[in-house]
Amino acid sequence: MELDNLVAFKSSHEVKQKLSSYGIVKKFEEGSIILNENAYIRAIPIVLKGCIGVMRTDDEGREILLYYINAGESCIMSFLGGLHNDTSKVKAIAEEETDILFVPIDKVNLLIKENPEWLDYIFRLYHKRFEELLEVVNDVAFKKMDERLLNFIKKRCELGKTTTLHITHEHLANELGTARVVVSRLLKQMEDKGLLKLGRNKISLM
């Protein structure tokens, strides 16, 4: 199992064994919805390969990206919701072809009681997600949309280890919680400044 290659568990053979025994691996194509808002959480996801985008939707259907979950990571929102038998407050979508290990909630509780390494893993994830959410709040409150847009493109390219992002203006607008026409106008301005080059459903950083 790809779990053997995950850095978070390399020092704990026992935790890896238990996760392999407890968990079920599922594959998701790019764009697949992994978790919907208001759905009950029966298992905790650990990304083995690929990337998940976690977002929040308002009453009018507008979405804003909160953070990404990469290989070796999990969703702290799922931990909290699952452990308290609560519904999901976020939506999770596969940003690319993604393999996920789902660990049932009852087994997660068992791991917390029996394995300090697992609890440490959760706390480290919580700290990282808290910092990322603070960054989102800072961006929305204090940064202009053009700066948020360019930072988003750079981050997505960095995650994919590429300089070209294959994405539509509509998708970008949804991720940032704004209108497509705003994104298109700002992208054209950035292209005129030589910051990037636009193509059909793709953006290349210069």
Side-chain angles (χ1 to χ4, degrees), residues 47-64:
V47 177
L48 300 179
K49 184 185 76 173
C51 178
I52 298 175
V54 177
M55 54 201 65
R56 176 81 172 162
T57 309
D58 69 10
D59 293 336
E60 297 179 4
R62 294 175 300 184
E63 298 176 339
I64 185 169

Side-chain angles (χ1 to χ4, degrees), residues 13-198:
H13 183 67
E14 182 182 354
V15 172
K16 284 195 299 182
Q17 278 190 322
K18 288 182 177 180
L19 289 174
S20 299
S21 173
Y22 299 156
I24 298 173
V25 178
K26 294 184 179 180
K27 296 180 179 291
F28 294 87
E29 297 298 322
E30 180 181 344
S32 298
I33 295 177
I34 299 164
L35 179 66
N36 264 315
E37 288 172 308
N38 300 317
Y40 277 97
I41 301 165
R42 308 299 183 192
I44 302 302
I46 298 176
V47 177
L48 300 179
K49 184 185 76 173
C51 178
I52 298 175
V54 177
M55 54 201 65
R56 176 81 172 162
T57 309
D58 69 10
D59 293 336
E60 297 179 4
R62 294 175 300 184
E63 298 176 339
I64 185 169
L65 178 73
L66 300 179
Y67 52 82
Y68 291 110
I69 305 173
N70 299 304
E73 299 178 345
S74 185
C75 179
I76 196 64
M77 301 292 284
S78 295
F79 272 112
L80 298 175
L83 292 175
H84 294 92
N85 196 32
D86 198 2
T87 56
S88 174
K89 302 301 185 290
V90 296
K91 180 167 71 173
I93 297 178
E95 295 290 333
E96 56 188 71
E97 188 176 300
T98 302
D99 295 349
I100 300 174
L101 178 74
F102 288 95
V103 183
I105 291 297
D106 61 323
K107 301 301 184 184
V108 171
N109 282 320
L110 197 60
L111 284 165
I112 290 174
K113 294 175 182 176
E114 297 180 350
N115 298 92
E117 303 94 335
W118 176 253
L119 194 57
D120 180 62
Y121 170 70
I122 294 174
F123 281 134
R124 281 187 282 111
L125 278 176
Y126 187 90
H127 177 73
K128 181 177 182 181
R129 297 303 173 225
F130 182 74
E131 288 188 332
E132 289 173 335
L133 288 175
L134 283 180
E135 186 178 338
V136 171
V137 171
N138 182 69
D139 286 351
V140 172
F142 304 115
K143 291 184 180 179
K144 294 181 179 180
M145 183 54 69
D146 57 348
E147 187 178 357
R148 289 178 59 203
L149 177 58
L150 186 57
N151 286 344
F152 176 85
I153 294 168
K154 288 179 177 178
K155 188 173 183 179
R156 281 292 300 272
C157 285
E158 184 181 336
L159 284 171
K161 298 179 180 178
T162 180
T163 57
T164 298
L165 177 62
H166 294 274
I167 194 170
T168 65
H169 293 190
E170 184 72 32
H171 191 169
L172 274 172
N174 290 339
E175 296 272 19
L176 293 169
T178 188
R180 183 193 59 78
V181 64
V182 173
V183 168
S184 297
R185 174 172 55 81
L186 292 175
L187 287 174
K188 185 63 174 67
Q189 291 175 359
M190 291 178 194
E191 185 177 44
D192 292 342
K193 293 178 181 178
L195 297 174
L196 47 79
K197 183 174 178 59
L198 300 176

